[in-house]
Amino acid sequence: MDWYPSPDEDLLLRTSAKFATGIAPAVAGSRWFRDLERSDIQGELSGWPAGPTYTLRTTGDRAARRTGRALLVGIPLIANIIANIGGASGSPFGDVPVRGNPEEPENEVQDFPVMWAAPGTLARTVPWQLDPARRPEGYATDLVLTDRRLLFLGTRSGTLAKADVLGEFTRDSIAEARQMKYSEISADVRLTFADQSWIRLFTGNPDSAERLCELLNGTVQAVPESELSSGQRDRLARLLSELPDTAQPPLITRLPSGIVMVEVRVPAKAGKDLYETHSILMDASGGPAKPHPGDL
């Protein structure tokens, strides 16, 4: 592994993380960094390299973008465009059903801030490498949660070097985590700091987004590997041996009935920065277990 927690702390979760990207027609492919007046603060972020400037898409831009996609994928999408001409207000083609409905139109449809931060607040101190438009090619960022800290790590593809520790925050500096389901595969998370500034991240997997929020909000019980029984540790070792080397560290939680759930994220073949989840349920001896009512 390219990073290890301190001897006196337990690793709870590690997941891919980067600034999210808008999906609503007017903000598709865009992200902004805002103060409380919705002014652009990119130039005020200390040490950040220059990044792209985005503008809201007009109706004409959105029509051209959608028509271009239709030319690439053929008649089925053209039929879909025709079927959706009378769609949602504000979009000539309607919404994308699988993404649900916007929870905060002002932050997801009319604008798409991934940082909301007054001067001097914690959100302004997160690493610039979280921005895919600024970081070097082949560089990726992960979020790590332990029982003491939340960290951001940077890694370079194709190397065995130790991960860069880009930033860290104490657990009590995080006030809330919320899964934002109006997003690509429902994998966005908004982290709100104790000073009420916030950032919005894409985690690559809806399960990762959900578990991160549950762990930070205290609604699930994480189980360190050191607390597993010998049978459970053996079963975990067998699971990990069946997965590729690119698998992330396991997330282990205890369900309300007492059985243990192990989840491991593995890079998905479906697309870049996407992950699939492999999971097992174990009883106290490490044997297979079935969920009880209320467990899942």
Side-chain angles (χ1 to χ4, degrees):
M1 196 161 69
D2 58 1
W3 179 87
Y4 292 91
S6 299
D8 59 345
E9 69 179 331
D10 293 312
L11 173 63
L12 304 181
L13 173 70
R14 179 169 176 173
T15 181
S16 170
K18 62 181 180 180
F19 284 129
T21 305
I23 61 170
V27 299
S30 304
R31 63 181 70 88
W32 285 273
F33 304 84
R34 302 294 199 196
D35 64 14
L36 305 191
E37 304 300 322
R38 291 198 183 273
S39 299
D40 187 350
I41 60 172
Q42 289 190 81
E44 302 174 17
L45 300 174
S46 178
W48 283 43
T53 299
Y54 300 102
T55 57
L56 291 173
R57 296 181 183 276
T58 65
T59 300
D61 292 336
R62 301 197 296 266
R65 178 182 173 91
R66 192 67 174 267
T67 303
R69 286 180 55 213
L71 292 174
L72 289 174
V73 301
I75 298 301
L77 182 55
I78 294 175
N80 186 56
I81 289 176
I82 295 172
N84 284 286
I85 287 293
S89 175
S91 167
F93 307 117
D95 207 348
V96 183
V98 297
R99 290 168 175 164
N101 296 315
E103 300 171 72
E104 297 181 355
E106 70 277 14
N107 291 323
E108 297 180 315
V109 178
Q110 293 108 21
D111 192 6
F112 195 80
V114 295
M115 178 183 292
W116 184 261
T121 53
L122 287 170
R124 294 196 182 210
T125 67
V126 301
W128 60 264
Q129 291 90 340
L130 289 170
D131 189 352
R134 286 180 165 84
R135 65 193 185 198
E137 186 72 24
Y139 198 83
T141 46
D142 287 352
L143 180 153
V144 169
L145 184 67
T146 77
D147 58 339
R148 290 171 39 198
R149 301 178 287 169
L150 183 150
L151 304 94
F152 293 109
L153 305 181
T155 61
R156 296 169 181 81
S157 60
T159 73
L160 299 177
K162 289 184 178 180
D164 301 322
V165 177
L166 303 174
E168 65 177 84
F169 300 87
T170 60
R171 287 285 297 267
D172 59 10
S173 70
I174 310 294
E176 182 188 32
R178 177 181 174 187
Q179 184 177 7
M180 308 300 289
K181 295 188 177 181
Y182 186 70
S183 59
E184 199 69 45
I185 66 170
S186 297
D188 282 9
V189 169
R190 184 166 71 193
L191 296 180
T192 301
F193 294 96
D195 57 18
Q196 296 306 299
S197 62
W198 52 259
I199 57 174
R200 181 168 178 152
L201 303 172
F202 175 71
T203 64
N205 182 293
D207 294 329
S208 294
E210 182 179 6
R211 295 296 175 269
L212 175 61
C213 294
E214 290 174 337
L215 289 167
L216 282 170
N217 296 333
T219 57
V220 298
Q221 179 187 358
V223 180
E225 287 189 43
S226 59
E227 293 185 10
L228 296 178
S229 68
S230 59
Q232 289 173 333
R233 286 196 294 270
D234 289 343
R235 180 65 187 93
L236 173 61
R238 291 200 305 274
L239 171 65
L240 296 179
S241 70
E242 297 166 357
L243 300 177
D245 294 339
T246 53
Q248 295 183 342
L251 169 61
I252 308 169
T253 53
R254 193 179 310 280
L255 302 181
S257 67
I259 65 176
V260 170
M261 179 168 66
V262 178
E263 298 172 285
V264 184
R265 322 292 182 214
V266 175
K269 296 179 181 179
K272 184 181 179 182
D273 296 327
L274 300 180
Y275 291 79
E276 58 188 27
T277 302
H278 297 254
S279 60
I280 57 172
L281 297 175
M282 304 186 292
D283 61 21
S285 66
K290 293 183 178 180
H292 294 223
D295 273 347
L296 301 175

